Amino acid sequence: MALKHEPTAPYHSAQDALRVLETVAGHADGATDTELARATGLDPDRLTGLLRMLRREGYVEQVADGVHVTGETLRRLGSAHDREHALGERLQLTLDRLRDSVGAAVYLSRYVDGEVRIGPYAAGPGAPAVNEWVDFRSSAHATAIGKSLLTQLDHDGRRDHLSRHKMARLTSRTITSDKLLLSRLAAQPPTVPVLDLQEYAIGTVCAAVPITAGSAVGCLALSLPVEHAHRLRQAAETLNRGAAPVLLSLAI
């Protein structure tokens, strides 16, 4: 199975942020903006935005004289006895912050060994999670998560998935024609969120954006009660802009 997706904007942001982090960590006494710009080759505006994100996530701190040093988050991860557990906690905190930013439940998902896998998610009283009334693994054709993951596969990969999972009609809006679904997946621009407008469940709308590049296939998604459908596109744009810290948590 081949992949067709290109590196996304959040991926590039996460990669640039890692370069900044490596540079800061390589300076025992910290690094100034000028030193960071020289070492990374990033333009000042780009660097300023990345440093703002890294400070917000606790990866770097700015001391009184304008020098950037490694932050509490990075120090804690470096000294953790159970690094995997510490990274999981960091990722959950990042998802919780993203949930509060978009005002919706947020989900991290991957396509592993030919199946949709839902990873950690962040929900709450004001941001309820989707009721998984049909296994997400068998309903990729009807969910924003599934369709976002399938768009990142090539045509043969998509057909293989659909051949193993019957396209059941879950609501009156569910696409059950593999020809129609494959056509829509092929036409989906990689930078535009994939939407689920009550295709999986009546009363719920969802959006998903790809967050990975290279050999991995993944996405970030959000769900909203249908009465908040008017916020869906704006929330999806906020989700996409906030995806870089999630990728950074996965890459650290």
Side-chain angles (χ1 to χ4, degrees):
M1 178 185 69
L3 307 181
K4 76 149 200 169
H5 64 293
E6 297 294 329
T8 59
Y11 170 83
H12 289 302
S13 293
Q15 291 298 104
D16 288 345
L18 281 173
R19 288 163 56 200
V20 174
L21 270 181
E22 290 170 355
T23 304
V24 170
H27 287 67
D29 298 321
T32 64
D33 286 10
T34 301
E35 290 170 329
L36 290 173
R38 185 186 307 119
T40 61
L42 297 169
D43 67 68
D45 288 343
R46 175 78 164 162
L47 179 61
T48 297
L50 290 170
L51 285 170
R52 186 182 303 116
M53 182 266 284
L54 289 169
R55 288 196 299 270
R56 185 178 65 245
E57 297 293 322
Y59 290 112
V60 301
E61 297 172 3
Q62 188 173 18
V63 294
D65 55 358
V67 171
H68 295 278
V69 298
T70 54
E72 180 63 25
T73 296
L74 205 60
R75 293 194 293 271
R76 190 171 297 164
L77 290 175
S79 61
H81 294 298
D82 188 346
R83 180 174 169 81
E84 185 173 343
H85 179 71
L87 287 171
E89 288 186 336
R90 179 68 245 169
L91 177 58
Q92 188 62 56
L93 287 172
T94 301
L95 291 173
D96 289 346
R97 183 178 289 117
L98 190 55
R99 172 202 61 204
D100 296 340
S101 176
V102 302
V106 174
Y107 314 79
L108 177 63
S109 181
R110 292 179 173 178
Y111 195 76
V112 181
D113 297 330
E115 300 294 345
V116 173
R117 302 283 176 86
I118 305 296
Y121 68 93
V130 174
N131 174 33
E132 189 180 353
W133 75 285
V134 175
D135 193 324
F136 287 133
R137 290 174 297 179
S138 60
S139 55
H141 64 291
T143 65
I145 283 175
K147 288 185 286 183
S148 179
L149 296 174
L150 291 177
T151 62
Q152 298 175 62
L153 308 180
D154 64 8
H155 181 76
D156 290 341
R158 296 168 190 159
R159 289 201 66 88
D160 172 72
H161 182 91
L162 297 179
S163 72
R164 293 181 286 106
H165 296 283
K166 177 177 172 58
M167 295 174 61
R169 184 175 298 280
L170 307 183
T171 76
S172 62
R173 296 172 178 264
T174 306
I175 296 174
T176 57
S177 162
D178 58 350
K179 182 177 180 180
L180 177 57
L181 180 64
L182 289 169
S183 175
R184 291 193 178 181
L185 293 176
Q188 174 70 30
T191 57
V192 177
V194 178
L195 304 181
D196 159 17
L197 304 176
Q198 302 188 87
E199 296 172 51
Y200 174 76
I202 296 298
T204 301
V205 295
C206 305
V209 295
I211 63 165
T212 47
S215 60
V217 173
C219 72
L220 267 178
L222 64 85
S223 65
L224 286 168
V226 70
E227 56 266 29
H228 294 287
H230 62 282
R231 295 202 296 113
L232 184 62
R233 291 189 183 276
Q234 182 178 356
E237 291 173 3
T238 303
L239 182 75
N240 194 39
R241 290 195 300 270
V246 177
L247 272 171
L248 189 59
S249 295
L250 295 171
I252 291 293

PDB file of all heavy atoms in Angstrom, residues 220-248:
ATOM      1  N   LEU A 220      -6.195  14.569  13.222  1.00  0.00           N
ATOM      2  CA  LEU A 220      -6.850  15.150  14.386  1.00  0.00           C
ATOM      3  C   LEU A 220      -8.285  15.423  13.987  1.00  0.00           C
ATOM      4  O   LEU A 220      -8.543  15.891  12.880  1.00  0.00           O
ATOM      5  CB  LEU A 220      -6.175  16.464  14.793  1.00  0.00           C
ATOM      6  CG  LEU A 220      -5.074  16.441  15.838  1.00  0.00           C
ATOM      7  CD1 LEU A 220      -4.538  17.859  16.040  1.00  0.00           C
ATOM      8  CD2 LEU A 220      -5.557  15.864  17.157  1.00  0.00           C
ATOM      9  N   ALA A 221      -9.206  15.163  14.889  1.00  0.00           N
ATOM     10  CA  ALA A 221     -10.613  15.390  14.572  1.00  0.00           C
ATOM     11  C   ALA A 221     -11.314  16.067  15.734  1.00  0.00           C
ATOM     12  O   ALA A 221     -10.816  16.078  16.872  1.00  0.00           O
ATOM     13  CB  ALA A 221     -11.292  14.069  14.247  1.00  0.00           C
ATOM     14  N   LEU A 222     -12.466  16.634  15.442  1.00  0.00           N
ATOM     15  CA  LEU A 222     -13.313  17.234  16.479  1.00  0.00           C
ATOM     16  C   LEU A 222     -14.757  16.855  16.206  1.00  0.00           C
ATOM     17  O   LEU A 222     -15.133  16.532  15.071  1.00  0.00           O
ATOM     18  CB  LEU A 222     -13.148  18.752  16.509  1.00  0.00           C
ATOM     19  CG  LEU A 222     -13.581  19.567  15.293  1.00  0.00           C
ATOM     20  CD1 LEU A 222     -15.071  19.903  15.320  1.00  0.00           C
ATOM     21  CD2 LEU A 222     -12.791  20.864  15.186  1.00  0.00           C
ATOM     22  N   SER A 223     -15.567  16.897  17.248  1.00  0.00           N
ATOM     23  CA  SER A 223     -16.994  16.636  17.090  1.00  0.00           C
ATOM     24  C   SER A 223     -17.781  17.700  17.834  1.00  0.00           C
ATOM     25  O   SER A 223     -17.352  18.212  18.868  1.00  0.00           O
ATOM     26  CB  SER A 223     -17.354  15.245  17.622  1.00  0.00           C
ATOM     27  OG  SER A 223     -17.141  15.163  19.031  1.00  0.00           O
ATOM     28  N   LEU A 224     -18.954  18.021  17.285  1.00  0.00           N
ATOM     29  CA  LEU A 224     -19.844  19.020  17.868  1.00  0.00           C
ATOM     30  C   LEU A 224     -21.290  18.526  17.791  1.00  0.00           C
ATOM     31  O   LEU A 224     -21.663  17.853  16.819  1.00  0.00           O
ATOM     32  CB  LEU A 224     -19.751  20.337  17.095  1.00  0.00           C
ATOM     33  CG  LEU A 224     -18.512  21.210  17.269  1.00  0.00           C
ATOM     34  CD1 LEU A 224     -18.487  22.297  16.192  1.00  0.00           C
ATOM     35  CD2 LEU A 224     -18.479  21.821  18.658  1.00  0.00           C
ATOM     36  N   PRO A 225     -22.101  18.865  18.774  1.00  0.00           N
ATOM     37  CA  PRO A 225     -23.535  18.613  18.634  1.00  0.00           C
ATOM     38  C   PRO A 225     -24.059  19.386  17.430  1.00  0.00           C
ATOM     39  O   PRO A 225     -23.562  20.466  17.109  1.00  0.00           O
ATOM     40  CB  PRO A 225     -24.117  19.154  19.946  1.00  0.00           C
ATOM     41  CG  PRO A 225     -22.960  19.193  20.901  1.00  0.00           C
ATOM     42  CD  PRO A 225     -21.756  19.480  20.063  1.00  0.00           C
ATOM     43  N   VAL A 226     -25.066  18.863  16.754  1.00  0.00           N
ATOM     44  CA  VAL A 226     -25.531  19.463  15.509  1.00  0.00           C
ATOM     45  C   VAL A 226     -26.020  20.901  15.701  1.00  0.00           C
ATOM     46  O   VAL A 226     -25.948  21.712  14.770  1.00  0.00           O
ATOM     47  CB  VAL A 226     -26.629  18.588  14.869  1.00  0.00           C
ATOM     48  CG1 VAL A 226     -27.924  18.636  15.685  1.00  0.00           C
ATOM     49  CG2 VAL A 226     -26.874  19.000  13.430  1.00  0.00           C
ATOM     50  N   GLU A 227     -26.469  21.248  16.908  1.00  0.00           N
ATOM     51  CA  GLU A 227     -26.911  22.626  17.128  1.00  0.00           C
ATOM     52  C   GLU A 227     -25.753  23.619  17.076  1.00  0.00           C
ATOM     53  O   GLU A 227     -25.974  24.829  16.992  1.00  0.00           O
ATOM     54  CB  GLU A 227     -27.652  22.755  18.464  1.00  0.00           C
ATOM     55  CG  GLU A 227     -26.899  22.292  19.681  1.00  0.00           C
ATOM     56  CD  GLU A 227     -27.221  20.843  20.035  1.00  0.00           C
ATOM     57  OE1 GLU A 227     -27.541  20.059  19.121  1.00  0.00           O
ATOM     58  OE2 GLU A 227     -27.154  20.502  21.241  1.00  0.00           O
ATOM     59  N   HIS A 228     -24.515  23.120  17.093  1.00  0.00           N
ATOM     60  CA  HIS A 228     -23.342  23.976  16.953  1.00  0.00           C
ATOM     61  C   HIS A 228     -22.686  23.815  15.578  1.00  0.00           C
ATOM     62  O   HIS A 228     -21.529  24.185  15.398  1.00  0.00           O
ATOM     63  CB  HIS A 228     -22.317  23.665  18.041  1.00  0.00           C
ATOM     64  CG  HIS A 228     -22.779  23.993  19.427  1.00  0.00           C
ATOM     65  ND1 HIS A 228     -22.889  25.282  19.883  1.00  0.00           N
ATOM     66  CD2 HIS A 228     -23.192  23.187  20.438  1.00  0.00           C
ATOM     67  CE1 HIS A 228     -23.323  25.276  21.128  1.00  0.00           C
ATOM     68  NE2 HIS A 228     -23.528  24.016  21.487  1.00  0.00           N
ATOM     69  N   ALA A 229     -23.434  23.273  14.630  1.00  0.00           N
ATOM     70  CA  ALA A 229     -22.875  23.026  13.292  1.00  0.00           C
ATOM     71  C   ALA A 229     -22.364  24.308  12.639  1.00  0.00           C
ATOM     72  O   ALA A 229     -21.434  24.256  11.824  1.00  0.00           O
ATOM     73  CB  ALA A 229     -23.926  22.371  12.397  1.00  0.00           C
ATOM     74  N   HIS A 230     -22.936  25.444  12.976  1.00  0.00           N
ATOM     75  CA  HIS A 230     -22.488  26.710  12.386  1.00  0.00           C
ATOM     76  C   HIS A 230     -21.052  27.039  12.782  1.00  0.00           C
ATOM     77  O   HIS A 230     -20.404  27.862  12.132  1.00  0.00           O
ATOM     78  CB  HIS A 230     -23.419  27.846  12.816  1.00  0.00           C
ATOM     79  CG  HIS A 230     -23.452  28.078  14.306  1.00  0.00           C
ATOM     80  ND1 HIS A 230     -24.172  27.268  15.166  1.00  0.00           N
ATOM     81  CD2 HIS A 230     -22.837  29.004  15.078  1.00  0.00           C
ATOM     82  CE1 HIS A 230     -24.001  27.699  16.411  1.00  0.00           C
ATOM     83  NE2 HIS A 230     -23.199  28.746  16.384  1.00  0.00           N
ATOM     84  N   ARG A 231     -20.529  26.395  13.826  1.00  0.00           N
ATOM     85  CA  ARG A 231     -19.146  26.638  14.266  1.00  0.00           C
ATOM     86  C   ARG A 231     -18.157  25.656  13.667  1.00  0.00           C
ATOM     87  O   ARG A 231     -16.953  25.756  13.909  1.00  0.00           O
ATOM     88  CB  ARG A 231     -19.047  26.537  15.788  1.00  0.00           C
ATOM     89  CG  ARG A 231     -19.791  27.575  16.573  1.00  0.00           C
ATOM     90  CD  ARG A 231     -19.215  27.711  17.986  1.00  0.00           C
ATOM     91  NE  ARG A 231     -19.372  26.524  18.781  1.00  0.00           N
ATOM     92  CZ  ARG A 231     -18.341  25.756  19.194  1.00  0.00           C
ATOM     93  NH1 ARG A 231     -17.102  26.042  18.853  1.00  0.00           N
ATOM     94  NH2 ARG A 231     -18.570  24.683  19.933  1.00  0.00           N
ATOM     95  N   LEU A 232     -18.642  24.687  12.900  1.00  0.00           N
ATOM     96  CA  LEU A 232     -17.799  23.560  12.502  1.00  0.00           C
ATOM     97  C   LEU A 232     -16.575  23.994  11.696  1.00  0.00           C
ATOM     98  O   LEU A 232     -15.453  23.591  12.005  1.00  0.00           O
ATOM     99  CB  LEU A 232     -18.627  22.545  11.712  1.00  0.00           C
ATOM    100  CG  LEU A 232     -17.887  21.265  11.305  1.00  0.00           C
ATOM    101  CD1 LEU A 232     -17.414  20.494  12.529  1.00  0.00           C
ATOM    102  CD2 LEU A 232     -18.786  20.383  10.440  1.00  0.00           C
ATOM    103  N   ARG A 233     -16.783  24.784  10.657  1.00  0.00           N
ATOM    104  CA  ARG A 233     -15.645  25.142   9.792  1.00  0.00           C
ATOM    105  C   ARG A 233     -14.615  25.997  10.530  1.00  0.00           C
ATOM    106  O   ARG A 233     -13.405  25.795  10.381  1.00  0.00           O
ATOM    107  CB  ARG A 233     -16.139  25.845   8.529  1.00  0.00           C
ATOM    108  CG  ARG A 233     -16.907  24.917   7.603  1.00  0.00           C
ATOM    109  CD  ARG A 233     -17.207  25.537   6.260  1.00  0.00           C
ATOM    110  NE  ARG A 233     -18.008  24.649   5.444  1.00  0.00           N
ATOM    111  CZ  ARG A 233     -17.510  23.671   4.692  1.00  0.00           C
ATOM    112  NH1 ARG A 233     -16.207  23.473   4.674  1.00  0.00           N
ATOM    113  NH2 ARG A 233     -18.302  22.893   3.975  1.00  0.00           N
ATOM    114  N   GLN A 234     -15.096  26.951  11.320  1.00  0.00           N
ATOM    115  CA  GLN A 234     -14.157  27.774  12.078  1.00  0.00           C
ATOM    116  C   GLN A 234     -13.404  26.936  13.101  1.00  0.00           C
ATOM    117  O   GLN A 234     -12.188  27.101  13.292  1.00  0.00           O
ATOM    118  CB  GLN A 234     -14.900  28.911  12.780  1.00  0.00           C
ATOM    119  CG  GLN A 234     -13.969  29.849  13.554  1.00  0.00           C
ATOM    120  CD  GLN A 234     -14.721  31.000  14.204  1.00  0.00           C
ATOM    121  OE1 GLN A 234     -15.918  31.151  14.018  1.00  0.00           O
ATOM    122  NE2 GLN A 234     -14.008  31.813  14.961  1.00  0.00           N
ATOM    123  N   ALA A 235     -14.111  26.013  13.755  1.00  0.00           N
ATOM    124  CA  ALA A 235     -13.455  25.130  14.719  1.00  0.00           C
ATOM    125  C   ALA A 235     -12.417  24.249  14.027  1.00  0.00           C
ATOM    126  O   ALA A 235     -11.336  23.997  14.576  1.00  0.00           O
ATOM    127  CB  ALA A 235     -14.496  24.270  15.426  1.00  0.00           C
ATOM    128  N   ALA A 236     -12.725  23.782  12.817  1.00  0.00           N
ATOM    129  CA  ALA A 236     -11.782  22.946  12.069  1.00  0.00           C
ATOM    130  C   ALA A 236     -10.528  23.729  11.705  1.00  0.00           C
ATOM    131  O   ALA A 236      -9.407  23.200  11.748  1.00  0.00           O
ATOM    132  CB  ALA A 236     -12.448  22.401  10.810  1.00  0.00           C
ATOM    133  N   GLU A 237     -10.682  24.997  11.362  1.00  0.00           N
ATOM    134  CA  GLU A 237      -9.518  25.831  11.053  1.00  0.00           C
ATOM    135  C   GLU A 237      -8.659  26.033  12.296  1.00  0.00           C
ATOM    136  O   GLU A 237      -7.427  25.993  12.230  1.00  0.00           O
ATOM    137  CB  GLU A 237      -9.983  27.172  10.495  1.00  0.00           C
ATOM    138  CG  GLU A 237     -10.625  27.074   9.111  1.00  0.00           C
ATOM    139  CD  GLU A 237     -11.233  28.388   8.657  1.00  0.00           C
ATOM    140  OE1 GLU A 237     -11.107  29.394   9.405  1.00  0.00           O
ATOM    141  OE2 GLU A 237     -11.833  28.425   7.562  1.00  0.00           O
ATOM    142  N   THR A 238      -9.313  26.253  13.438  1.00  0.00           N
ATOM    143  CA  THR A 238      -8.579  26.384  14.696  1.00  0.00           C
ATOM    144  C   THR A 238      -7.860  25.090  15.033  1.00  0.00           C
ATOM    145  O   THR A 238      -6.717  25.096  15.506  1.00  0.00           O
ATOM    146  CB  THR A 238      -9.543  26.761  15.838  1.00  0.00           C
ATOM    147  OG1 THR A 238     -10.233  27.964  15.502  1.00  0.00           O
ATOM    148  CG2 THR A 238      -8.791  26.975  17.143  1.00  0.00           C
ATOM    149  N   LEU A 239      -8.519  23.962  14.789  1.00  0.00           N
ATOM    150  CA  LEU A 239      -7.911  22.656  15.023  1.00  0.00           C
ATOM    151  C   LEU A 239      -6.647  22.487  14.184  1.00  0.00           C
ATOM    152  O   LEU A 239      -5.610  22.035  14.675  1.00  0.00           O
ATOM    153  CB  LEU A 239      -8.911  21.559  14.678  1.00  0.00           C
ATOM    154  CG  LEU A 239      -8.462  20.108  14.914  1.00  0.00           C
ATOM    155  CD1 LEU A 239      -8.474  19.788  16.404  1.00  0.00           C
ATOM    156  CD2 LEU A 239      -9.379  19.130  14.174  1.00  0.00           C
ATOM    157  N   ASN A 240      -6.719  22.860  12.919  1.00  0.00           N
ATOM    158  CA  ASN A 240      -5.575  22.726  12.027  1.00  0.00           C
ATOM    159  C   ASN A 240      -4.416  23.607  12.489  1.00  0.00           C
ATOM    160  O   ASN A 240      -3.256  23.176  12.490  1.00  0.00           O
ATOM    161  CB  ASN A 240      -5.987  23.089  10.600  1.00  0.00           C
ATOM    162  CG  ASN A 240      -4.960  22.645   9.576  1.00  0.00           C
ATOM    163  OD1 ASN A 240      -4.379  21.562   9.690  1.00  0.00           O
ATOM    164  ND2 ASN A 240      -4.715  23.475   8.579  1.00  0.00           N
ATOM    165  N   ARG A 241      -4.737  24.837  12.891  1.00  0.00           N
ATOM    166  CA  ARG A 241      -3.682  25.742  13.364  1.00  0.00           C
ATOM    167  C   ARG A 241      -3.047  25.237  14.654  1.00  0.00           C
ATOM    168  O   ARG A 241      -1.873  25.503  14.918  1.00  0.00           O
ATOM    169  CB  ARG A 241      -4.248  27.145  13.582  1.00  0.00           C
ATOM    170  CG  ARG A 241      -4.620  27.888  12.303  1.00  0.00           C
ATOM    171  CD  ARG A 241      -4.808  29.372  12.574  1.00  0.00           C
ATOM    172  NE  ARG A 241      -5.876  29.613  13.557  1.00  0.00           N
ATOM    173  CZ  ARG A 241      -7.149  29.798  13.230  1.00  0.00           C
ATOM    174  NH1 ARG A 241      -7.508  29.744  11.969  1.00  0.00           N
ATOM    175  NH2 ARG A 241      -8.038  30.018  14.179  1.00  0.00           N
ATOM    176  N   GLY A 242      -3.829  24.512  15.460  1.00  0.00           N
ATOM    177  CA  GLY A 242      -3.316  24.030  16.728  1.00  0.00           C
ATOM    178  C   GLY A 242      -2.728  22.636  16.688  1.00  0.00           C
ATOM    179  O   GLY A 242      -2.414  22.067  17.737  1.00  0.00           O
ATOM    180  N   ALA A 243      -2.579  22.075  15.503  1.00  0.00           N
ATOM    181  CA  ALA A 243      -2.112  20.691  15.380  1.00  0.00           C
ATOM    182  C   ALA A 243      -0.612  20.533  15.642  1.00  0.00           C
ATOM    183  O   ALA A 243      -0.172  19.467  16.056  1.00  0.00           O
ATOM    184  CB  ALA A 243      -2.457  20.139  14.000  1.00  0.00           C
ATOM    185  N   ALA A 244       0.167  21.581  15.410  1.00  0.00           N
ATOM    186  CA  ALA A 244       1.625  21.466  15.545  1.00  0.00           C
ATOM    187  C   ALA A 244       2.052  21.019  16.943  1.00  0.00           C
ATOM    188  O   ALA A 244       2.926  20.145  17.064  1.00  0.00           O
ATOM    189  CB  ALA A 244       2.296  22.785  15.162  1.00  0.00           C
ATOM    190  N   PRO A 245       1.479  21.567  18.031  1.00  0.00           N
ATOM    191  CA  PRO A 245       1.889  21.081  19.356  1.00  0.00           C
ATOM    192  C   PRO A 245       1.607  19.597  19.573  1.00  0.00           C
ATOM    193  O   PRO A 245       2.344  18.923  20.295  1.00  0.00           O
ATOM    194  CB  PRO A 245       1.060  21.950  20.322  1.00  0.00           C
ATOM    195  CG  PRO A 245       0.759  23.190  19.560  1.00  0.00           C
ATOM    196  CD  PRO A 245       0.575  22.720  18.131  1.00  0.00           C
ATOM    197  N   VAL A 246       0.541  19.074  18.964  1.00  0.00           N
ATOM    198  CA  VAL A 246       0.236  17.644  19.079  1.00  0.00           C
ATOM    199  C   VAL A 246       1.329  16.838  18.389  1.00  0.00           C
ATOM    200  O   VAL A 246       1.848  15.860  18.935  1.00  0.00           O
ATOM    201  CB  VAL A 246      -1.136  17.328  18.476  1.00  0.00           C
ATOM    202  CG1 VAL A 246      -1.409  15.820  18.527  1.00  0.00           C
ATOM    203  CG2 VAL A 246      -2.235  18.086  19.203  1.00  0.00           C
ATOM    204  N   LEU A 247       1.694  17.238  17.181  1.00  0.00           N
ATOM    205  CA  LEU A 247       2.773  16.554  16.470  1.00  0.00           C
ATOM    206  C   LEU A 247       4.078  16.653  17.235  1.00  0.00           C
ATOM    207  O   LEU A 247       4.862  15.690  17.286  1.00  0.00           O
ATOM    208  CB  LEU A 247       2.944  17.183  15.077  1.00  0.00           C
ATOM    209  CG  LEU A 247       2.092  16.592  13.966  1.00  0.00           C
ATOM    210  CD1 LEU A 247       2.204  17.434  12.709  1.00  0.00           C
ATOM    211  CD2 LEU A 247       2.499  15.162  13.681  1.00  0.00           C
ATOM    212  N   LEU A 248       4.317  17.795  17.863  1.00  0.00           N
ATOM    213  CA  LEU A 248       5.545  17.973  18.634  1.00  0.00           C
ATOM    214  C   LEU A 248       5.563  17.018  19.813  1.00  0.00           C
ATOM    215  O   LEU A 248       6.604  16.391  20.113  1.00  0.00           O
ATOM    216  CB  LEU A 248       5.644  19.429  19.108  1.00  0.00           C
ATOM    217  CG  LEU A 248       6.978  19.864  19.746  1.00  0.00           C
ATOM    218  CD1 LEU A 248       8.125  19.666  18.774  1.00  0.00           C
ATOM    219  CD2 LEU A 248       6.883  21.328  20.173  1.00  0.00           C
TER     220      LEU A 248
END
